[in-house]
């Protein structure tokens, strides 16, 4: 049986099962929303980060605490490709994914159905194990579904355009509509700094995306508006676009693509997010579904003050029907 190893254990997170279980439990226990009750009844999807757990583990807990596990037997996990070019989506060839707190079987029936569409490429074991965007969610999935019989459908989403996002969204929509299915979307938000080749900056809190510009050693930020506040504004603009209601999923999907064209914000999971919103747009039209998307946590790895600094942003959201 082909098993994908937990290749990032002992580097991006602890490989000690006992320690990892304790860590995840404590992060989940620390989630205390003030304006709603977790888990969220009717939760159908979450968006959460995939950095090393010391950076993004506590933020991801806010998404996973929202999941109502009642009746769920299948979990789709959509993550971006970081290591190879892919103009489409790819499916794992493995039968099981390893985590230090218990393995996760893949839903071979669903994967074979998706393969039969002719729209998905095969993922080699090497490419599978190199990619961290899926793996960083596996321990959380195993933890929140502790003791439950579930199967996963991991999908690597490539650098696809808005039209292809809609195409894959239409393929996945019927699965998302089923009451036994939930979807995890893997994404960090802004990667800011010269090491990411991204130094976009709003000069003040009222600035529009058209008045933003790139910082450099000769072009410095305003003393009254720190870089980290500009990054927050940049990310919050995206989160506002991806909040439903008041807009529809179809409108949010279109507006998010336009936002990315303007700002070039380095949201690495932008295409998995696009596929999710495209799937919800189909369900709005064909099933009369009225999705709600709410962002519940936002953090930055550090606070940038100068062009020499860098940071990665982390955000968590849940989707309910």
């Amino acid at each position: 049986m082909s098993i994908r190893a937990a290749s990032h254990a002992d580097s991006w997170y602890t490989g000690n099962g006992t320690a990892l279980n304790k860590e995840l439990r404590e992060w989940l226990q620390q989630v205390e929303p003030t304006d709603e009750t977790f888990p969220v009844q009717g939760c159908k999807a979450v968006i959460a980060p995939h950095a090393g757990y010391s950076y993004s583990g506590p933020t991801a807990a806010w998404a996973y605490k929202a999941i109502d596990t009642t009746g769920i037997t299948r979990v789709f996990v959509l993550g971006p490709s970081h290591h190879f070019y892919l103009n489409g989506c790819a499916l794992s060839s493995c039968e099981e994914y390893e985590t230090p707190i218990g393995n996760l079987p893949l839903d071979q029936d669903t994967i074979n159905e998706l393969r039969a569409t002719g729209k998905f490429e095969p993922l080699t074991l090497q490419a599978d194990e190199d990619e961290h965007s899926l793996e960083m969610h596996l321990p959380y999935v195993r933890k929140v579904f502790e003791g439950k019989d579930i199967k996963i459908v991991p999908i690597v989403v490539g650098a696809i355009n808005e039209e292809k996002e809609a195409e894959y969204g239409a393929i996945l929509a019927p699965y998302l509509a089923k009451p036994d299915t939930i979807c995890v979307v893997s994404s960090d938000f802004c990667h800011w700094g010269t090491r990411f080749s991204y130094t976009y900056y709003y000069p003040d809190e009222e600035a529009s995306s058209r008045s933003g510009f790139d910082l450099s050693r000769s072009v410095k930020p305003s003393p009254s508006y720190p870089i980290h506040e500009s990054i927050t504004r940049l990310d919050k603009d995206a989160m506002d676009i991806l909040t439903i209601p008041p807009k529809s999923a179809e409108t949010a999907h279109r507006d998010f693509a336009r936002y990315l064209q303007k700002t070039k914000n380095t949201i690495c999971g932008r295409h998995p997010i696009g596929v999710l919103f495209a799937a919800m747009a189909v369900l709005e039209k064909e099933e009369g579904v009225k999705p709600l998307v709410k962002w519940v946590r936002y953090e930055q790895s550090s606070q940038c003050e100068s062009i020499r600094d860098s940071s990665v942003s982390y955000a968590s959201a849940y989707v309910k029907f």
Side-chain angles (χ1 to χ4, degrees), residues 71-94:
I72 301 297
T73 59
R74 177 173 54 192
V75 181
F76 279 76
V77 186
L78 276 57
S81 173
H82 287 86
H83 298 286
F84 67 99
Y85 177 74
L86 176 65
N87 185 25
C89 292
L91 295 166
S92 176
S93 302
C94 295

Side-chain angles (χ1 to χ4, degrees), residues 10 61 64-65 119 166 194 199 213 259 279 295:
D10 289 319
Y64 281 96
K65 189 70 173 281
K119 300 293 185 181
T194 54
T199 58
F213 52 84
Y259 161 87
W295 295 89

Side-chain angles (χ1 to χ4, degrees), residues 14-26 100-102 143:
T14 179
N16 182 296
T18 301
L20 179 59
N21 190 57
K22 179 175 182 290
E23 211 168 44
L24 296 173
R25 183 179 67 247
E26 289 177 350
I101 58 173
K143 179 61 181 174

Side-chain angles (χ1 to χ4, degrees), residues 29-50:
Q29 288 173 344
Q30 289 166 11
V31 175
E32 295 182 353
T34 57
D35 59 345
E36 59 192 315
T37 302
F38 279 8
V40 175
Q41 197 168 21
C43 181
K44 289 297 295 177
V46 295
I47 301 171
H50 55 235

Side-chain angles (χ1 to χ4, degrees), residues 172-199:
L172 298 184
Y175 297 100
L176 187 60
K178 295 185 178 181
D180 66 350
T181 299
I182 196 167
C183 181
V184 171
V185 171
S186 176
S187 183
D188 295 336
F189 267 63
C190 184
H191 300 61
W192 197 95
T194 54
R195 71 189 185 101
F196 299 117
S197 300
Y198 188 75
T199 58

Side-chain angles (χ1 to χ4, degrees), residues 13 84-85 108 121 132 137 179 189 196 205 233 244 249 284 287 294 314 320:
Y13 60 97
F84 67 99
Y85 177 74
Q108 297 300 328
E121 297 184 27
H132 65 273
H137 287 275
F189 267 63
F196 299 117
E205 60 184 352
R233 161 76 192 286
I244 303 174
E284 282 177 336
E287 305 290 337
K294 183 173 182 180
Y314 313 117
K320 66 174 288 187

